[in-house]
Amino acid sequence: MSFADSDDTTPLLGDDASSNDSQDEDSRSRWRSIRVMYFTMFLSSVGFTIVITSLWPYLQRIDDSANASFLGWVVAAYSLGQMVASPIFGVWSNYRPRREPLVCSIFINLSANIYYAYAYLPRTNNKFHMLISRAFVGFGAGNVAVVRSYVAGATSLKERTSAMANMSACQALGFILGPALQACLSFIGEHGITVKIIDLQLNMYTAPAFLAAAFGLINILLVLLVLREHRVDDHGRHIRAINYTEEGINYDTSEEAEKTIDQVAVLTSNILFFVVMFIFAVFETIATPLSMDMFAWTRKEAVLYNGIIICCIGFESILVFLVVKMASQRFGDRPVLLVGLAIIFCGFFILLPWGNHYPKIQWADLKNNSLVSQMSEATLASNKSVEPTGCPYEQTWCQYIPTIHLAQYISSDVLIGVGYPACNVMSYTLYSKILGPKPQGVYMGWLTASGSGARTLGPVFVSQVYTILGPRWAFSLICGMVVGAIILLISLYHRLIAFSVRHSRTTG
């Protein structure tokens, strides 16, 4: 197989290595290993999104004391676990072969998915068992820092944007396949199949978790059998991988590694990434409750329809990665990031409620039923078995905040589906270029922790603000946050440049 010398001709999921006479087994092994990292990112994304649309209905089913506020904590638990694990796995990967933290993290993720599937089994406190299981799933997902640091260290500066776009594309494929699989598995139904020997209820809520565990097993085998350590400098020259030094000391023979990293640019990148991930965490957390409140969807309808919507957003994201790859080469990474933030702002601004139509309220159905005194007991029993739909009467804002129309919801999804992937891939690309040739495990660990912190706070923030104050306050605050990020990016625009470019300016 021949590889183009320029990234311009690199297909989205193709190799970014150059085709020349010196290409040897090391180069082929390097790209096989990078593909394993792509696949690891893909499976990590599938493992998260495959349950995200059914999380709220599953929580309601196993513990009727859980409310939308607790859902925020359950979603946040995943990111809290990832935030704790990312720096740990990052440090581990800087001093030891990456296989070790990868296999360990994937095994934790696999076990936690099985725990999640059995969260219904305890007689009490089921919601807390779900919370703990999601925290451990997130802890296992802390290997994202290892994956990104490996790809950053195994690619030249010229290859970096394409490699990061490829990895984000794999993440988007997982983002598509996860909800699509959940939507398919929703046809199993809430009751599904019971296997009494192992106390297993295989239904639309537990089957996705078992499937995620099976994917984890495949991932472990690939890491053990295919992955090898590779590292190149900014110009693509192979250098010694620190993970293989006998002394276990972090050193680098490259003179460039002795130069300092712009810590202001590092901090700015972390803040911008925090904002991007916070915004997306809000979006993915609120989608199911919002659609159930505004459109009076049942639990099954919310899982199915939101699964389809997220699947479509994933396909859209892949197209965005193609455009981003070309746009960054033509205009640069920073302008693409700036445009992405502007599009996200438009997406949330559209979601602001307007008009004089109000959502259907659940208590109206209960009140109407109580007025019918002549109904038979059989009819009353039948009505009780019908799942109540609409905006819960406990949320007082339902009575005076206008409804969000389906057209608004879909338009917002489309815009966020363009802005988020552009910001995501540009954040990682800029960050890895700012760091330069230094080992990036720890730095990538902190960036992942920053994103995980955002995904911890985002769900808690939106579940509290949305439940108490409603969507108008929630989405207005998000718009304000995006404006702040745009101002920060413009203010420090000149600092967000590649390590080698910055030092060539200072020495030139």
Side-chain angles (χ1 to χ4, degrees):
M1 182 181 212
S2 132
F3 302 102
D5 189 52
S6 170
D7 287 345
D8 294 342
T9 58
T10 302
L12 185 61
L13 295 179
D15 297 340
D16 300 312
S18 59
S19 60
N20 53 49
D21 296 336
S22 64
Q23 183 177 348
D24 54 11
E25 179 55 33
D26 280 345
S27 181
R28 289 190 291 271
S29 174
R30 177 167 72 102
W31 284 101
R32 279 197 298 268
S33 298
I34 289 173
R35 290 191 199 102
V36 172
M37 294 296 95
Y38 291 165
F39 190 65
T40 302
M41 184 63 76
F42 166 77
L43 291 183
S44 175
S45 183
V46 168
F48 175 70
T49 59
I50 200 170
V51 300
I52 195 64
T53 58
S54 64
L55 204 59
W56 175 230
Y58 185 34
L59 180 61
Q60 287 180 309
R61 187 170 189 267
I62 66 173
D63 196 326
D64 55 14
S65 67
N67 55 24
S69 295
F70 192 81
L71 171 67
W73 289 105
V74 173
V75 176
Y78 175 95
S79 301
L80 183 62
Q82 191 178 48
M83 182 176 66
V84 172
S86 295
I88 297 172
F89 290 134
V91 172
W92 190 352
S93 72
N94 264 14
Y95 292 91
R96 297 290 302 168
R98 266 93 165 196
R99 272 202 207 109
E100 294 178 10
L102 284 171
V103 170
C104 176
S105 60
I106 297 167
F107 180 77
I108 291 171
N109 190 285
L110 183 157
S111 304
N113 271 304
I114 295 174
Y115 180 21
Y116 172 87
Y118 276 100
Y120 64 86
L121 201 56
R123 295 183 182 276
T124 58
N125 298 319
N126 301 81
K127 64 182 182 182
F128 293 107
H129 285 284
M130 179 182 281
L131 182 76
I132 294 168
S133 68
R134 290 301 294 171
F136 277 104
V137 170
F139 191 92
N143 61 18
V144 169
V146 182
V147 171
R148 286 199 153 94
S149 68
Y150 182 94
V151 174
T155 53
S156 68
L157 193 62
K158 188 177 181 181
E159 298 166 341
R160 193 81 43 81
T161 298
S162 292
M164 288 295 181
N166 292 349
M167 188 159 54
S168 295
C170 291
Q171 191 174 24
L173 284 172
F175 192 68
I176 295 168
L177 189 57
L181 288 171
Q182 171 67 88
C184 293
L185 293 170
S186 68
F187 292 103
I188 296 175
E190 289 194 328
H191 301 290
I193 304 166
T194 302
V195 183
K196 292 184 179 179
I197 299 176
I198 54 175
D199 289 323
L200 170 64
Q201 291 180 12
L202 193 66
N203 55 37
M204 61 185 282
Y205 305 125
T206 61
F210 283 115
L211 189 56
F215 285 149
L217 185 59
I218 295 170
N219 200 1
I220 288 175
L221 293 174
L222 283 172
V223 169
L224 290 174
L225 299 176
V226 181
L227 183 68
R228 299 291 181 270
E229 292 293 336
H230 292 282
R231 191 157 175 256
V232 300
D233 62 15
D234 278 358
H235 305 289
R237 297 187 295 262
H238 280 268
I239 56 179
R240 180 189 291 267
I242 59 169
N243 313 67
Y244 281 169
T245 58
E246 293 180 1
E247 296 83 1
I249 301 173
N250 184 352
Y251 76 91
D252 194 330
T253 57
S254 170
E255 293 181 3
E256 286 188 325
E258 297 175 4
K259 298 173 183 175
T260 58
I261 295 172
D262 186 349
Q263 297 298 333
V264 173
V266 168
L267 179 61
T268 303
S269 298
N270 274 276
I271 293 172
L272 290 173
F273 188 66
F274 177 92
V275 172
V276 170
M277 297 306 295
F278 184 94
I279 290 164
F280 190 71
V282 167
F283 172 73
E284 67 187 3
T285 303
I286 205 61
T288 301
L290 180 69
S291 60
M292 291 174 72
D293 291 348
M294 295 296 168
F295 315 133
W297 288 348
T298 63
R299 289 194 296 265
K300 188 172 182 179
E301 286 172 340
V303 170
L304 178 60
Y305 298 153
N306 280 303
I308 293 170
I309 289 169
I310 293 177
C311 181
C312 293
I313 291 173
F315 278 115
E316 178 190 16
S317 298
I318 293 178
L319 295 176
V320 171
F321 290 129
L322 283 168
V323 174
V324 161
K325 204 169 176 181
M326 295 182 290
S328 65
Q329 290 168 0
R330 184 179 177 89
F331 303 108
D333 299 334
R334 295 169 296 175
V336 174
L337 179 58
L338 188 59
V339 171
L341 286 170
I343 293 173
I344 288 176
F345 173 83
C346 294
F348 277 97
F349 187 79
I350 283 174
L351 268 183
L352 293 174
W354 57 273
N356 49 16
H357 290 87
Y358 299 92
K360 174 189 174 185
I361 300 176
Q362 283 184 20
W363 59 257
D365 291 339
L366 299 176
K367 183 178 178 181
N368 290 338
N369 286 342
S370 66
L371 294 174
V372 185
S373 58
Q374 303 298 325
M375 294 176 68
S376 64
E377 292 183 4
T379 305
L380 287 170
S382 176
N383 286 341
K384 287 180 182 178
S385 67
V386 175
E387 179 186 337
T389 59
C391 205
Y393 69 92
E394 296 93 344
Q395 296 176 170
T396 55
W397 57 262
C398 295
Q399 301 173 44
Y400 58 84
I401 294 291
T403 189
I404 294 172
H405 301 278
L406 185 59
Q408 285 178 266
Y409 184 63
I410 298 296
S411 299
S412 175
D413 289 342
V414 170
L415 289 172
I416 293 170
V418 172
Y420 169 72
C423 292
N424 182 279
V425 68
M426 286 301 100
S427 297
Y428 275 113
T429 302
L430 268 173
Y431 192 68
S432 65
K433 289 180 178 179
I434 288 166
L435 297 178
K438 288 179 178 289
Q440 298 188 6
V442 175
Y443 279 103
M444 282 293 179
W446 286 117
L447 186 71
T448 304
S450 172
S452 300
R455 295 181 74 163
T456 302
L457 297 175
V460 175
F461 160 83
V462 74
S463 61
Q464 295 294 329
V465 175
Y466 176 82
T467 302
I468 298 169
L469 300 174
R472 180 172 287 162
W473 268 98
F475 300 141
S476 295
L477 290 171
I478 292 297
C479 288
M481 183 176 289
V482 179
V483 170
I486 291 172
I487 293 171
L488 177 65
L489 176 56
I490 293 172
S491 301
L492 294 168
Y493 194 84
H494 63 288
R495 302 290 291 263
L496 301 176
I497 55 176
F499 180 93
S500 56
V501 172
R502 184 170 71 91
H503 284 287
S504 67
R505 286 181 182 177
T506 56
T507 59

